[in-house]
Amino acid sequence: MDNIRNFCIIAHIDHGKSTLADRMLEYTKTIKITENQMLDDMDLERERGITIKSHAIQMEYALDGQKYILNLIDTPGHVDFSYEVSRSIAACEGALLVVDATQGVQAQTISNLYMAIDHDLEIIPVINKIDMPNAMPDEVEDEIVDLIGCDPEDIIRASGKTGEGVPEILKAVVERIPAPKGDPKAPLQMMIFDSLFNSFRGIIVLGKVMNGVVRQGDKVKFVQTGMEYTADEVGVLKMDLEPRKELSTGEVGYIISGIKDATEVKVGDTITHVDNPCKEAVEGFQEVKPMVFAGVYPIDPAEYENLRASLEKLQLNDASLTFSPESSQALGFGFRCGFLGLLHMEIVQERLDREFNMEVITTVPNVSYKVYTKQGEELEVHNPSGLPDPTEIDHIDEPYIRASIITSSDYIGPIIKLCLDKRGELLDQQYISGGNRVELHFMLPLGEIVIDFYDKLKSISKGYASFDYHIDSYRPSKLIKLDILLNGEPVDALSTLTHVDNAVTLGRSMCEKLKELIPRQQFDIAIQAAIGAKIIARETVKQVRKDVLAKCYGGDVSRKRKLLEKQKKGKKRMKQIGNVQVPQKAFLAVLKLD
C-alpha cells in the first residue's frame, strides 16, 4: 500500500490536462502514444477538444530502485461537468493543479481547487505550456502563490507538448502525495465512482477499495440497493481492462459481475462482502443537483421504450443526468431530464444520437422554481405546464446563483452591463496580482443565464472571461407563464416562465421567429403569445392560395364569385381539421433568440 499513489489532474477548460496526461503515460512507458489525448476516447471529445468523462488509468513508475503504482484520473475542465471532477477527487489523495502559462488562473481553476482542498487533498501546482512564445510563467507563478500560499519553489514548470517537466511531476507525485490509508484486514469497503455499460459483459463498475480485499469469485453485495452478485472478474484500469486475482486496500480498479439492469448500480454506493459485510457505507459524494430541465421526446412515438433504455445506459456513464417520464399534448410521451448546464444538455443529445441512434426533440430548457399557493402549499415546478392556475399562486421563488467571473480589466464595462441586463447585482470586484485582471462576483437569477449567457460572455470578452457559479438561494420574483398559441391551441412544449419585464419582448420575438420557421399551409396560421387570457403579440403565416380563377376568361362576374366562395368554404373546413406541425428547428430557435 505504501507504494500506491492516487491522484487526479484538475484545471480550467483548455489548459492542457489531457496532453500532460499523455506525456506521463509516455514517460512511464504505459502505452505508446499514437495520437493526441489518448484518454479522450469519445469522438465528441476529440472533435470539440474537451474532456467530457473522467478517465482513470494505472501507471508503473520506478524511483530510487522502488517501484510505485500511480493511479491517474484525468478530469473535465468545463463548469457543466464539475460533478465528474467531484467524484474523481473523492477517489484520490492528491491533485495536480494545472495552470496555463499564457492564460493564468481562471474561474474553474479556483472552483476545482476549493473542491480538492475541502477533501484535504495534497495539491501540486504545475504551470503548463511554458514553451509557448506568449507564456508568462513569472506572472502566473505569482498568481498561484497568491491563490494557494505555497512557496515558488513548489511550483513545477512543464510543457505537455515537449514533455519538459514531466519527470519532476512524477517525482513530486511520489514524494508529496500520501499513500492511501485503510486496513486490508477489515471487512471490504469499495466505493463506486463510475460505471460503464458493455453490451456483452453487462455493467462494469469502477471503484476504489477503501478497506479490505476483493478477489475474483467473491460474493459481493451493493449496500444501497441490497443486491448480491458474484465478482466474475476484478482488475485494474490500463488503456484497456486488465484482469487481476485481487484488488486490495488503496487500489483503484473494476468489478464485472454480469449486472444487466442499469438501475441496480448507483454511483457513490459501497460494495462489500455478503458473508462479512462492513458496518456502514463509505461516505459517498453529495447527490447531484440538476440546474437545467428540458423535455426529451422521441421523434417517433413508438421509440419511447428504447429512449428509456438508452437514457438508463447513458446515466450509468454520466451520473449527473436525471430523468422522469412526462407527456406533452404537442409531442406525446417523453422524459423530463435534468442537466448541469446547456453544454451538458447538448452533449447528452449528441450521445443519444451517436451511441444509441436515438433521434430526439428537446424542448426549451428551464430551471426549477418553488411555487407557493394561497393555501400555503409549496410545490417544486420543473415544467411551465405544471404551474397551478395563476389565481391560486401566492408567489414564486426562483433560484439565484453566486457567479464568479475572471476577466482582463479592458472588458469590465461590457461584462457588468451584460450581468445587469440579466437582472444581476454586482457584489464586489477584486484585482488579481499584477493589476490587469479582475475577479467580479455577481448574484444572478439562474433562469437568465441558462440560455445564452455563456456565449455572450465569451464574445464580449473575446474569449478571455472565465465563468463559474454555484447555487446560492431562492428569492421571490415576479414571474409569469408565457404561452404560445397556434390557431388558438397552446403548444405546451414552447411555453416558458419569464420575468414580467421581459415578457412582451420575448413574446414578440418568439412569434417572429416561429413565423419564419413554420411552413405555409393551405390556411392562415395565427401565431400568438399570451399571458393568461391576454394576447400580447401576434404574427400570421399566410396561406398558400391556388389560383381558382385561372380557367375563367371573360364571362359573368358571378362565375368568378361562385368559385371564390367554394374555395373559401374549403379553406374554412381545412382550418377546422388541419393541424400545424412545429418543426424541430423551432424548439431550438427559441434558445437563440436575441
Side-chain angles (χ1 to χ4, degrees):
M1 247 175 77
D2 295 341
N3 291 2
I4 297 176
R5 300 287 183 273
N6 299 320
F7 68 103
C8 58
I9 306 186
I10 52 176
H12 190 80
I13 189 168
D14 212 16
H15 280 206
K17 302 177 291 302
S18 302
T19 314
L20 200 59
D22 281 357
R23 294 293 82 77
M24 288 192 217
L25 297 177
E26 206 168 37
Y27 187 82
T28 55
K29 300 190 171 56
T30 306
I31 48 171
K32 273 200 163 73
I33 302 290
T34 51
E35 53 188 317
N36 284 341
Q37 274 95 19
M38 288 294 286
L39 293 180
D40 291 351
D41 50 8
M42 244 188 267
D43 291 346
L44 266 175
E45 293 180 313
R46 299 251 169 95
E47 281 167 27
R48 293 174 178 240
I50 55 175
T51 304
I52 293 168
K53 282 292 303 161
S54 300
H55 294 272
I57 191 163
Q58 192 179 87
M59 304 181 280
E60 283 161 14
Y61 173 67
L63 180 69
D64 304 334
Q66 276 275 26
K67 272 198 166 174
Y68 292 92
I69 288 176
L70 311 182
N71 289 311
L72 153 72
I73 304 181
D74 177 27
T75 63
H78 196 282
V79 63
D80 278 12
F81 303 112
S82 53
Y83 191 59
E84 290 282 329
V85 183
S86 74
R87 302 203 321 258
S88 308
I89 284 175
C92 294
E93 282 81 36
L96 295 184
L97 178 75
V98 177
V99 182
D100 187 334
T102 62
Q103 307 215 26
V105 171
Q106 291 190 284
Q108 198 60 33
T109 315
I110 297 175
S111 165
N112 289 341
L113 171 70
Y114 288 158
M115 217 188 289
I117 290 173
D118 284 348
H119 280 79
D120 295 333
L121 263 59
E122 180 63 40
I123 308 290
I124 301 177
V126 176
I127 299 178
N128 194 18
K129 302 192 187 181
I130 56 166
D131 58 312
M132 300 280 276
N134 56 342
M136 319 168 286
D138 297 337
E139 288 92 325
V140 175
E141 192 171 271
D142 294 344
E143 284 182 21
I144 294 176
V145 170
D146 277 0
L147 182 64
I148 55 178
C150 61
D151 292 332
E153 299 80 62
D154 294 344
I155 300 172
I156 301 169
R157 297 188 179 190
S159 161
K161 198 171 179 184
T162 62
E164 187 184 337
V166 171
E168 289 84 354
I169 293 174
L170 290 167
K171 193 174 173 203
V173 165
V174 169
E175 288 173 353
R176 295 193 214 169
I177 293 176
K181 296 180 180 67
D183 179 3
K185 294 189 174 63
L188 172 68
Q189 276 185 322
M190 180 173 180
M191 183 183 71
I192 304 174
F193 66 83
D194 207 352
S195 51
L196 315 161
F197 183 80
N198 181 310
S199 46
F200 300 108
R201 313 203 58 186
I203 291 157
I204 301 169
V205 178
L206 312 185
K208 178 188 176 187
V209 183
M210 299 299 201
N211 289 306
V213 179
V214 60
R215 297 180 177 85
Q216 187 177 350
D218 282 358
K219 282 256 186 279
V220 292
K221 173 180 164 186
F222 287 61
V223 175
Q224 257 185 22
T225 55
M227 305 298 279
E228 298 180 2
Y229 301 100
T230 305
D232 299 335
E233 185 182 303
V234 298
V236 295
L237 303 150
K238 291 288 180 87
M239 206 57 208
D240 295 312
L241 306 176
E242 200 167 279
R244 292 278 160 94
K245 289 274 188 296
E246 62 174 43
L247 286 177
S248 70
T249 307
E251 289 195 289
V252 173
Y254 70 91
I255 292 186
I256 300 177
S257 42
I259 308 170
K260 290 284 184 281
D261 186 355
T263 54
E264 291 173 19
V265 177
K266 296 264 187 301
V267 165
D269 197 355
T270 303
I271 300 176
T272 187
H273 280 131
V274 173
D275 45 10
N276 181 16
C278 55
K279 298 227 173 9
E280 60 204 29
V282 184
E283 278 291 308
F285 353 88
Q286 302 145 333
E287 271 292 297
V288 58
K289 287 199 184 76
M291 301 297 164
V292 177
F293 295 87
V296 173
Y297 294 86
I299 286 180
D300 174 6
E303 292 284 297
Y304 175 73
E305 281 305 323
N306 290 350
L307 178 60
R308 182 200 296 273
S310 305
L311 283 168
E312 281 175 359
K313 287 173 190 166
L314 194 55
Q315 196 178 32
L316 273 179
N317 197 233
D318 181 354
S320 49
L321 170 70
T322 60
F323 64 91
S324 58
E326 74 163 6
S327 63
S328 144
Q329 293 165 355
L331 301 169
F333 290 102
F335 295 92
R336 170 106 329 215
C337 296
F339 308 98
L340 294 184
L342 270 197
L343 177 69
H344 185 211
M345 174 175 132
E346 207 177 306
I347 295 292
V348 166
Q349 210 176 335
E350 279 275 303
R351 286 183 70 182
L352 281 172
D353 184 26
R354 291 182 186 206
E355 294 171 29
F356 304 101
N357 290 329
M358 288 299 312
E359 286 191 23
V360 293
I361 290 178
T362 312
T363 63
V364 184
N366 58 284
V367 300
S368 67
Y369 298 94
K370 286 185 177 164
V371 178
Y372 295 89
T373 62
K374 288 180 178 166
Q375 283 79 39
E377 287 179 282
E378 182 189 320
L379 310 169
E380 194 164 292
V381 175
H382 301 316
N383 188 348
S385 60
L387 217 61
D389 193 74
T391 53
E392 293 173 19
I393 297 174
D394 182 52
H395 68 277
I396 301 177
D397 284 4
E398 67 172 331
Y400 267 71
I401 58 166
R402 189 185 169 94
S404 138
I405 297 172
I406 298 181
T407 175
S408 89
S409 46
D410 311 347
Y411 308 115
I412 291 182
I415 286 176
I416 291 179
K417 182 179 182 306
L418 170 71
C419 293
L420 296 180
D421 288 348
K422 296 280 185 188
R423 300 191 283 130
E425 62 181 80
L426 178 64
L427 299 176
D428 61 27
Q429 59 186 68
Q430 296 159 352
Y431 282 84
I432 301 175
S433 63
N436 188 33
R437 296 176 66 223
V438 188
E439 183 172 5
L440 304 165
H441 289 116
F442 285 94
M443 287 296 279
L444 283 158
L446 180 62
E448 293 281 345
I449 69 151
V450 156
I451 290 184
D452 56 354
F453 179 80
Y454 198 68
D455 298 345
K456 283 185 177 170
L457 180 71
K458 283 292 184 194
S459 56
I460 283 176
S461 64
K462 300 191 169 56
Y464 277 113
S466 61
F467 172 68
D468 181 49
Y469 64 86
H470 57 262
I471 286 288
D472 185 82
S473 57
Y474 278 78
R475 296 184 179 187
S477 200
K478 283 188 177 173
L479 296 168
I480 47 173
K481 183 180 165 195
L482 180 69
D483 285 315
I484 297 293
L485 313 176
L486 294 182
N487 280 343
E489 290 291 320
V491 182
D492 54 358
L494 285 174
S495 57
T496 50
L497 269 180
T498 179
H499 195 264
V500 172
D501 302 345
N502 305 341
V504 176
T505 44
L506 179 66
R508 194 165 291 146
S509 51
M510 277 172 88
C511 288
E512 285 166 5
K513 196 77 190 169
L514 287 170
K515 184 183 177 183
E516 293 169 25
L517 293 168
I518 290 178
R520 289 172 70 187
Q521 309 270 4
Q522 298 271 330
F523 51 90
D524 278 354
I525 302 170
I527 304 168
Q528 295 165 310
I531 298 170
K534 183 183 173 192
I535 304 291
I536 56 170
R538 169 178 172 137
E539 293 288 335
T540 308
V541 178
K542 281 299 190 197
Q543 60 190 355
V544 183
R545 294 188 76 104
K546 184 180 165 192
D547 188 359
V548 290
L549 302 182
K551 60 186 179 186
C552 294
Y553 43 93
D556 187 37
V557 73
S558 58
R559 281 185 65 204
K560 292 183 181 174
R561 197 170 293 134
K562 184 177 152 196
L563 287 168
L564 287 169
E565 286 298 325
K566 194 175 167 189
Q567 184 186 36
K568 197 170 169 186
K569 273 186 195 155
K571 294 273 183 205
K572 192 175 175 186
R573 192 169 66 248
M574 201 180 278
K575 188 170 183 176
Q576 284 164 358
I577 59 165
N579 62 347
V580 185
Q581 289 294 323
V582 183
Q584 160 75 353
K585 282 191 299 206
F587 295 107
L588 299 177
V590 181
L591 311 186
K592 307 223 168 10
L593 286 176
D594 212 348

